[in-house]
Structure formats: C-alpha cells, structure tokens
C-alpha cells in the first residue's frame, strides 16, 4: 500500500509529461469561437459556412467567381494571429480574386492564445491540415476540379505542409506569402523539396526579419528539390502585412495564376450552393 501511494504521483507526473506537447500546442477554441461569431455578425461580402473537419466544425467564408469563366477555387489561409476575414492580405485576396475568375474559400484556422510563444504557434500546423482537406472536399462537391492554396505567414507554412502531403488532391499550385523557414525546421525543408507543382514565393521588400533572412534558404531548398516552376518575388515597399500594397499583391498573384494554371474544363462547374 505504501509503495502504491508513493508511485501514484510519479505515474501522474509521467502522464502529464507525455501529454505536455499536446497540451502546450492546443488551439484556443474559445478565442476562435469568439472571433468566428464576430465575423459572421459583421460579414458584408461572401457567405459564411460551417465545414466539418473530423469532429470539429469551423468557419469558412465562400464567394463565387464574378465571371462567366470559372478558373478554379482558391483556399486562403491566414497568418497566426489573423482570421478568415482579416483586413489586408486575406480580405483583399478573397474579394479581389473573385473578379478574376476564381472562387475563394477563406478558412478560419486554429488559433493559439494571445501572446503564445513561437513553438506553440508552430504546433497549430498539423491541426490545420484536416480543415484544408475539408475545403478541398467542399470544392469537389461543387465540381471545381483544380484548387490553389494561398497562405500568409503561418498560413503559408500550413499550406506547405498540406500540399506536401497531397492535400487536397485537386491542388494545382501554391502561393506562399511572407513565409519564414528556419534552418532547424527539417520538416519544412523536406516539404519544400518535395513539392513540384507551380510555387510562387512572395514577400515584401520590408517583410519581417525572419522572412527576409530565410529567402535564400527557401530558394535554395526548392531548387535543390528540382522544382522548375518555383519563383521568388519581392514586392517593392511592402511590409509583412502588405499595407498599401494589397492591390499590387493581388495583381502579381493573378498574373502568376494566368501563366501557370488553365481554367477548369468548360461545363465542369456547377453552382450547387453550399
């Protein structure tokens, strides 16, 4: 009996230690729900959907293309402290791309607690993958045959992980906006080497130090993997949020999409609704 009483605390500590990584990287669901509710309350463009990833429902903002020719569907992934309708990069792209023949689906991604350390933010990457797959499934139901992943900051890192794992299968291109890649991030480097689809690596001329410091590493890693369709572009005068450079960002992406992706097959699209 004494032995059991002494060993019990050790057993509990061992359990807590083993579960610590999962606890430390858990998403702040309450924060996500508050933000999602505010977005739905004040949404002025597009349609708010609830998609399901496993047992969890999450918010996604969908808008059909404002064009007779449907080129495909874009999945938009916000930065670590953003949301599905964040002013600047995400909102400008989710509205602007529809005017160039692309449907958009902006996902609310898992969020860390405010002020969370860097390692906790990185832990959200794997939690985002089922949501990206759910977005691909949604487009498949609408007979959208090709999709493009566009991510900003941590959202770009999530997009990279998803595409390296062939999620979704309809993906035909990847746009990384302001993505940092640490030399110690072996998984990230391996994922970047693996991708052979057209890849646009965008950053601002005045982007965050981590993004600018890793631009050579990103370029070298992609080319080492043999991706001949990799291109790295810096937008003059832009910071990480592309403040006052949103239209330049949009036009750069649209031009790249037009060069590398052909429209969906005629008659393949069906506006069947959510």
């Amino acid at each position: 009996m004494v032995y059991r009483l002494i060993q019990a605390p050790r057993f509990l500590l061992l359990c807590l230690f083993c579960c610590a990584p999962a606890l430390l990287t858990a998403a702040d669901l309450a924060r996500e729900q508050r933000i999602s509710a505010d977005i739905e309350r004040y949404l002025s463009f597009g349609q708010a959907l609830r998609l399901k990833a496993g047992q969890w429902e999450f918010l996604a903002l969908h808008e059909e293309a404002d064009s007779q020719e449907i080129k495909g569907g874009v999945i938009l992934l916000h930065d670590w402290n953003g949301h599905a309708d964040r002013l600047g990069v995400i909102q400008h792209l989710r509205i602007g791309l529809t005017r160039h023949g692309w449907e958009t689906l902006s996902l609310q991604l898992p969020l860390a607690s405010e002020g969370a350390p860097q390692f906790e933010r990185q832990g959200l990457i794997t939690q985002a993958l089922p949501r990206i797959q759910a977005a691909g499934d949604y487009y498949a139901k609408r007979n959208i045959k090709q999709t493009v992943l566009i991510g900003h900051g941590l959202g770009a890192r999530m997009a990279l992980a998803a595409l390296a794992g062939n999620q979704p299968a309809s993906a035909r291109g990847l746009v990384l906006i302001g993505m940092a890649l640490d030399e110690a991030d072996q998984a990230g480097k391996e994922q970047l080497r693996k991708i052979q689809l057209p890849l646009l690596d965008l950053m601002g001329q005045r982007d965050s130090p981590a993004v600018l410091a890793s631009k050579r590493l990103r370029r070298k890693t992609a080319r080492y993997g043999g991706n001949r369709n990799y291109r790295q572009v810096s937008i003059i005068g832009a910071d990480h949020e592309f403040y006052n450079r949103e239209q330049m960002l949009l036009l750069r992406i649209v031009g790249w999409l037009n060069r590398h992706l052909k429209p969906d097959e005629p008659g393949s699209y069906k506006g069947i609704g959510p």
Side-chain angles (χ1 to χ4, degrees), residues 50-58 130-131 134 137:
R50 287 286 175 170
L51 301 183
K52 196 166 186 179
Q55 59 180 326
W56 302 105
E57 281 191 346
F58 66 97
R131 301 191 184 197
D137 293 342

Side-chain angles (χ1 to χ4, degrees), residues 95-157:
I95 296 173
L97 286 168
T98 64
R99 296 167 183 158
H100 293 273
W102 292 88
E103 285 206 7
T104 61
L105 193 61
S106 182
L107 309 188
Q108 180 56 52
L109 299 168
L111 295 173
S113 301
E114 292 187 76
Q118 181 67 32
F119 74 87
E120 187 170 336
R121 302 173 203 167
Q122 292 296 112
L124 300 174
I125 294 172
T126 55
Q127 298 177 41
L129 299 184
R131 301 191 184 197
I132 297 171
Q133 183 58 53
D137 293 342
Y138 175 80
Y139 274 139
K141 291 177 182 177
R142 292 178 60 77
N143 287 337
I144 300 286
K145 297 185 182 302
Q146 66 175 359
T147 56
V148 177
L149 272 62
I150 300 180
H152 180 217
L154 184 60
R157 184 64 184 79

Side-chain angles (χ1 to χ4, degrees), residues 200-212:
L200 178 61
D201 181 358
L202 276 168
M203 61 189 153
Q205 184 187 37
R206 299 185 293 108
D207 216 307
S208 67
V211 174
L212 296 176

Side-chain angles (χ1 to χ4, degrees), residues 25-251:
T25 59
D28 189 336
L29 296 177
R31 183 182 179 214
E32 179 186 334
Q33 290 171 358
R34 288 195 303 271
I35 290 175
S36 296
D38 285 342
I39 292 172
E40 290 180 289
R41 186 177 299 116
Y42 299 110
L43 186 67
S44 59
F45 187 92
Q47 181 181 19
L49 308 174
R50 287 286 175 170
L51 301 183
K52 196 166 186 179
Q55 59 180 326
W56 302 105
E57 281 191 346
F58 66 97
L59 177 68
L61 303 180
H62 174 250
E63 183 60 29
E64 294 186 17
D66 186 17
S67 170
Q68 293 298 317
E69 180 184 52
I70 307 301
K71 297 178 179 178
V74 168
I75 299 172
L76 288 165
L77 309 172
H78 62 76
D79 204 352
W80 73 272
N81 201 31
H83 54 73
D85 198 32
R86 176 71 177 263
L87 288 173
V89 172
I90 294 299
Q91 190 182 84
H92 200 83
L93 291 179
R94 83 173 191 85
I95 296 173
L97 286 168
T98 64
R99 296 167 183 158
H100 293 273
W102 292 88
E103 285 206 7
T104 61
L105 193 61
S106 182
L107 309 188
Q108 180 56 52
L109 299 168
L111 295 173
S113 301
E114 292 187 76
Q118 181 67 32
F119 74 87
E120 187 170 336
R121 302 173 203 167
Q122 292 296 112
L124 300 174
I125 294 172
T126 55
Q127 298 177 41
L129 299 184
R131 301 191 184 197
I132 297 171
Q133 183 58 53
D137 293 342
Y138 175 80
Y139 274 139
K141 291 177 182 177
R142 292 178 60 77
N143 287 337
I144 300 286
K145 297 185 182 302
Q146 66 175 359
T147 56
V148 177
L149 272 62
I150 300 180
H152 180 217
L154 184 60
R157 184 64 184 79
M158 293 170 172
L160 179 67
L163 196 53
N166 298 317
Q167 297 181 15
S170 58
R172 298 293 179 267
L174 173 63
V175 179
L176 306 175
I177 304 173
M179 189 192 83
L181 182 65
D182 192 273
E183 185 69 58
D185 186 358
Q186 296 299 329
K189 291 189 291 184
E190 181 58 34
Q191 290 161 1
L192 187 53
R193 279 194 294 266
K194 184 177 180 181
I195 292 174
Q196 298 300 312
L197 293 176
L199 196 165
L200 178 61
D201 181 358
L202 276 168
M203 61 189 153
Q205 184 187 37
R206 299 185 293 108
D207 216 307
S208 67
V211 174
L212 296 176
S214 63
K215 64 180 182 181
R216 184 174 180 275
L217 174 62
R218 300 194 307 274
R219 184 172 64 247
K220 181 179 69 174
T221 302
R223 290 179 176 174
Y224 178 76
N227 190 344
R228 297 183 178 181
N229 291 314
Y230 170 88
R231 187 180 182 193
Q232 187 176 88
V233 174
S234 177
I235 294 184
I236 296 174
D239 58 14
H240 185 67
E241 300 297 332
F242 289 82
Y243 179 70
N244 282 337
R245 296 293 188 278
E246 296 93 346
Q247 185 65 12
M248 191 180 299
L249 175 70
L250 171 64
L251 294 178

